[in-house]
Amino acid sequence: MKQFRLIISLFVLSIGVLCFAPTAWAFCGFYVAKADSKLYNQASQVVIARDGDRTVLTMANDFKGEVKDFAMVVPVPTVIQKEQVRVAQPKIIERLDAFSAPRLVEYFDSDPCAPQYRDRLYEAVPAPAARISGATRGDNANLGVTIEAKFNVGEYEILILSAKESGGLETWLNRNGYKIPRGAKQLLQPYIRSRMKFFVAKVNLDKFEQSGYEFLRPLQISYQSPKFMLPIRLGMMNANTAQDLIVYILSPQGQAEITNYRTVKVPSDTNIPVFVKNEFSDFYKSMFQTAYLKEDRKVAFLEYAWDMSSCDPCSAEPLNQEELKQAGVFWLDNDTNDNFLAPNIRRPFPRSSVFITRLHIRYSRDKFPEDPMFQTTSSRESFQGRYILQHPFTGELNCQASREYKRSLPKRFEQEAQTLAKLTNWNIQDIRKKMKLSLGNLNYSWWENFLAWLGL
């Protein structure tokens, strides 16, 4: 870190993610349209705040397709009452996204002719400082469907259903005007066997329009259950391609991971060519897809893990206490961490009381046939998806050390090109062209041309 000067701290990948993310955010369950409209889930964001067997689940959503009235079905582990449901603010999920998104950082070489440079020329690029590495009751009974609860929350009209068999539930939904996707019966059956309930939320468009929101607001559900999972299989019925799921897990312990699939870290802390600064969203899409295929499409990627009290570098300020509560962190009022500190030493809030894990899951029916099961661990190792731009020094060079510096640059640039090609599967020649590493001048080598282009 010493020999480089951090000029621009970072470019938040959330910008990139939002650029390539589809406009349709979706719940874990499926949409059931009253009109014969085709709705497709392509991406979801879910926040899980969990301590012990208590969970607050926040589901961000959007929908794609022209519908005037629709509903959604989400399996839940227990009967949910009205006081357990609220409408959350979309801004909270945006804040979590901005805080935890993979990031691009930019460094500039210092003057190689400065006295202290010579002893540092061949030192490696520094690691990040903080890197620690409607039917009748009788009809319902005949179908084996019971309305366990019925209430309104915000722009949502909500039913909690239990069912004895998937065919009865499918029939009930159809009779009540919900045109459910094909294949629903088969996918509903495992949830019924495990005695899960069904959270059916219909959107009242009049109230939705009155709300003034462009997108549906997130629904937040609180419940107590030993089951620590997300029911994503129903969501696959609306999908015509693989879907992306971003899961933010907030825990008083440490990192969260998936237990029935592998959890791997997204490639990170690599130097890439500076032109990527203007193509970061394309870079991350390609890099993620390459890693996804390399792992045979059967893993969850860890994109971020950090104590919520700090960040380095910060892509956004850590969420404050009020925002964390809005995100579902319910244990803050009972936080007694300060009791373990020495007298006269008080930690700033909320150090060590909230740890965030960001998981990115790209899933499809054939490669991800089971709902992801989670667990939290005691590991508080920090991790972030981080990509480094290292600008060469462009000032006047008139010392002996500058010659060594200039000779070291071609190898560095070529390494960056090869790293980028490996990460993204982009064509290496195209990369070199973008880096101005080949100008076609027969009298000079490509690196000499490049250095000339840089004015060196």
Side-chain angles (χ1 to χ4, degrees):
M1 183 70 75
K2 292 181 180 179
Q3 72 267 42
F4 297 101
R5 184 163 56 101
L6 178 63
I7 300 298
I8 300 175
S9 60
L10 50 88
F11 296 86
V12 184
L13 180 62
S14 57
I15 297 173
V17 169
L18 291 175
C19 288
F20 71 76
T23 56
W25 301 103
F27 285 98
C28 303
F30 59 75
Y31 293 116
V32 283
K34 277 192 170 181
D36 188 17
S37 301
K38 294 181 180 179
L39 303 175
Y40 296 100
N41 297 347
Q42 293 188 14
S44 302
Q45 289 188 95
V46 176
V47 183
I48 304 175
R50 183 173 173 95
D51 184 16
D53 61 359
R54 295 174 294 174
T55 297
V56 177
L57 174 67
T58 306
M59 301 172 289
N61 75 95
D62 190 9
F63 63 91
K64 186 177 182 180
E66 296 182 3
V67 293
K68 296 182 179 179
D69 194 2
F70 73 97
M72 53 206 165
V73 176
V74 180
V76 290
T78 64
V79 173
I80 305 295
Q81 302 297 335
K82 181 176 182 178
E83 57 270 23
Q84 295 174 259
V85 183
R86 61 183 292 270
V87 176
Q89 296 301 315
K91 181 181 178 181
I92 295 303
I93 295 178
E94 294 172 3
R95 287 278 287 118
L96 286 170
D97 184 26
F99 178 74
S100 63
R103 58 213 63 194
L104 184 66
V105 295
E106 188 174 41
Y107 297 92
F108 289 77
D109 288 355
S110 57
D111 184 354
C113 294
Q116 70 276 15
Y117 179 81
R118 289 188 293 274
D119 296 334
R120 300 171 181 169
L121 179 61
Y122 298 109
E123 293 181 11
V125 174
R131 181 191 176 199
I132 303 174
S133 65
T136 65
R137 182 180 297 274
D139 292 337
N140 295 343
N142 292 335
L143 295 172
V145 176
T146 302
I147 300 176
E148 302 284 357
K150 181 179 181 180
F151 49 87
N152 299 326
V153 175
E155 63 265 36
Y156 296 99
E157 300 172 359
I158 296 169
L159 295 176
I160 307 298
L161 305 178
S162 62
K164 294 181 179 178
E165 55 94 15
S166 58
L169 179 58
E170 183 182 41
T171 301
W172 188 96
L173 291 169
N174 280 320
R175 286 184 179 179
N176 285 273
Y178 304 112
K179 187 176 179 61
I180 66 175
R182 290 183 178 181
K185 178 180 176 180
Q186 180 183 357
L187 293 178
L188 288 169
Q189 187 61 43
Y191 297 110
I192 295 175
R193 287 175 179 167
S194 59
R195 299 183 178 181
M196 295 187 73
K197 312 304 177 185
F198 296 91
F199 183 95
V200 181
K202 180 191 299 183
V203 174
N204 185 311
L205 288 187
D206 289 336
K207 290 188 177 179
F208 175 61
E209 291 175 359
Q210 292 172 8
S211 71
Y213 287 95
E214 184 177 355
F215 301 113
L216 290 173
R217 291 182 293 173
L219 272 169
Q220 190 173 82
I221 306 171
S222 304
Y223 57 86
Q224 189 164 357
S225 171
K227 294 180 180 178
F228 190 8
M229 51 84 75
L230 273 178
I232 63 173
R233 283 173 294 173
L234 290 182
M236 297 178 186
M237 287 189 292
N238 291 326
N240 53 358
T241 60
Q243 297 184 87
D244 287 286
L245 172 66
I246 306 295
V247 185
Y248 311 96
I249 298 177
L250 306 175
S251 164
Q253 287 86 39
Q255 281 191 25
E257 61 186 14
I258 292 182
T259 61
N260 54 340
Y261 296 94
R262 289 187 299 123
T263 302
V264 301
K265 295 176 180 176
V266 71
S268 180
D269 285 328
T270 57
N271 284 59
I272 53 179
V274 294
F275 77 83
V276 176
K277 179 178 180 179
N278 297 321
E279 302 179 16
F280 191 46
S281 60
D282 290 337
F283 158 75
Y284 196 79
K285 281 190 298 184
S286 298
M287 189 214 66
F288 189 89
Q289 177 68 9
T290 301
Y292 170 68
L293 296 177
K294 180 181 178 182
E295 299 293 345
D296 197 26
R297 302 177 289 176
K298 296 179 180 177
V299 301
F301 286 97
L302 176 67
E303 290 187 325
Y304 192 78
W306 215 277
D307 190 301
M308 185 59 87
S309 65
S310 65
C311 46
D312 182 21
C314 293
S315 59
E317 287 298 314
L319 276 66
N320 59 38
Q321 185 171 8
E322 180 60 31
E323 290 174 320
L324 287 171
K325 288 182 176 180
Q326 291 291 327
V329 179
F330 54 85
W331 57 86
L332 292 178
D333 291 338
N334 299 321
D335 183 25
T336 58
N337 283 343
D338 287 343
N339 295 336
F340 297 95
L341 296 177
N344 303 322
I345 299 177
R346 183 177 179 81
R347 281 191 301 233
F349 173 84
R351 182 175 180 182
S352 298
S353 63
V354 182
F355 195 92
I356 180 172
T357 303
R358 174 185 175 121
L359 298 174
H360 187 164
I361 305 171
R362 180 166 290 173
Y363 62 96
S364 59
R365 274 196 190 189
D366 58 334
K367 295 294 184 179
F368 233 84
E370 299 178 0
D371 291 327
M373 312 293 291
F374 303 94
Q375 68 177 11
T376 55
T377 71
S378 59
S379 172
R380 299 183 73 84
E381 179 185 11
S382 298
F383 174 79
Q384 58 183 327
R386 178 177 179 270
Y387 309 95
I388 303 164
L389 305 182
Q390 189 75 40
H391 291 268
F393 181 74
T394 57
E396 184 177 358
L397 296 172
N398 53 10
C399 64
Q400 183 175 357
S402 66
R403 290 193 286 274
E404 297 178 38
Y405 171 74
K406 288 196 289 186
R407 280 197 295 269
S408 71
L409 290 178
K411 182 178 180 181
R412 185 175 109 188
F413 297 148
E414 177 63 21
Q415 183 60 54
E416 292 173 353
Q418 294 186 19
T419 298
L420 181 60
K422 182 179 180 180
L423 286 174
T424 61
N425 205 28
W426 288 353
N427 183 282
I428 185 68
Q429 296 301 335
D430 292 339
I431 292 172
R432 288 169 177 153
K433 287 180 181 177
K434 287 187 177 182
M435 295 176 71
K436 310 294 184 183
L437 296 183
S438 176
L439 300 180
N441 191 321
L442 299 178
N443 297 321
Y444 299 93
S445 63
W446 61 263
W447 57 84
E448 289 174 313
N449 282 291
F450 179 58
L451 294 177
W453 178 76
L454 292 173
L456 299 179

